[in-house]
Amino acid sequence: MALRMQRMRKDFLISRVRRQVEQSALVAVVNVGNIGTSQSEQVRRTLAAVGGQVLFTKNSLAAKGLEAAGAADLVPLLKGPTAIATGPAEVPLAKELLTLSTLFPDFFVIGALLNKRRVLEFMEVERLSKLPASDVIHSQLVAQMLPGSSLQVPNVAAYLIGVLHMHVEAQQAASGGGAEAVSK
């Protein structure tokens, strides 16, 4: 009975990591060093204020959760005392992680995964923290495209589809797929 409960607990922890990673725009592996209980609670509160969470989970279980969520690129970073910080808003979370690293010398970002696509090193997370939030950039971009603005894009939807189409072609050309696969 006790072994079954242990297995259920491990499965729950792996599932919790997977679920959190799948729902997050930014997933960071942080070194936690020897931070105490009160400091870890402060980390939890600070990240919760920007919609983030921190998971203090055994590295082997965290690795299984990351792999199940398609974030296996972060697994090699799980060495020593680490935690996984996640959140839906990448810029505010990056800012708070860097603020916490100034408060607690043992707490620092080792690496991160942005939008489930791009692995970031510490310096890139630091640059991310200095950007405006993505919703601010999106609203500014749309405001510039509306009639009467400086860009004056006559058909915003057609313009955005064109930009997206060019991006897809560039990605396919870079990966060797060529632009022929894109339907026009």
Side-chain angles (χ1 to χ4, degrees):
M1 182 67 161
L3 289 176
R4 195 169 104 176
M5 287 301 287
Q6 277 185 322
R7 182 74 237 159
M8 287 174 54
R9 180 171 159 44
K10 287 179 181 180
D11 289 343
F12 169 77
L13 293 171
I14 292 167
S15 175
R16 188 173 84 176
V17 170
R18 179 190 49 78
R19 203 172 36 256
Q20 222 22 68
V21 169
E22 288 175 345
Q23 297 171 357
S24 298
L26 183 67
V27 178
V29 175
V30 295
N31 180 76
V32 294
N34 293 321
I35 65 171
T37 304
S38 63
Q39 293 169 325
S40 63
E41 283 305 312
Q42 185 175 352
V43 168
R44 286 184 200 280
R45 284 191 305 275
T46 301
L47 297 184
V50 293
Q53 284 191 342
V54 63
L55 303 169
F56 296 97
T57 306
K58 189 175 175 182
N59 287 347
S60 60
L61 299 177
K64 290 179 181 181
L66 287 170
E67 289 169 351
D73 290 339
L74 295 178
V75 171
L77 304 178
L78 297 170
K79 303 258 190 269
T82 58
I84 298 174
T86 62
E90 58 279 337
V91 173
L93 181 62
K95 285 180 185 178
E96 291 305 325
L97 288 171
L98 292 178
T99 299
L100 288 166
S101 70
T102 61
L103 295 174
F104 309 123
D106 286 342
F107 185 95
F108 58 88
V109 176
I110 301 170
L113 185 64
L114 179 63
N115 294 322
K116 299 175 189 64
R117 292 187 304 256
R118 180 159 181 208
V119 177
L120 305 176
E121 294 178 0
F122 170 78
M123 296 303 287
E124 293 170 306
V125 174
E126 187 175 41
R127 283 192 297 236
L128 175 66
S129 74
K130 295 175 180 162
L131 293 174
S134 59
D135 56 339
V136 172
I137 293 172
H138 292 148
S139 64
Q140 289 173 348
L141 179 62
V142 169
Q144 290 297 314
M145 292 179 173
L146 295 174
S149 67
S150 59
L151 284 179
Q152 295 187 3
V153 176
N155 186 340
V156 176
Y159 175 76
L160 291 174
I161 289 171
V163 169
L164 179 61
H165 184 72
M166 288 188 309
H167 177 71
V168 169
E169 285 179 342
Q171 291 294 318
Q172 287 183 341
S175 67
E180 305 82 40
V182 178
S183 62
K184 295 194 177 203

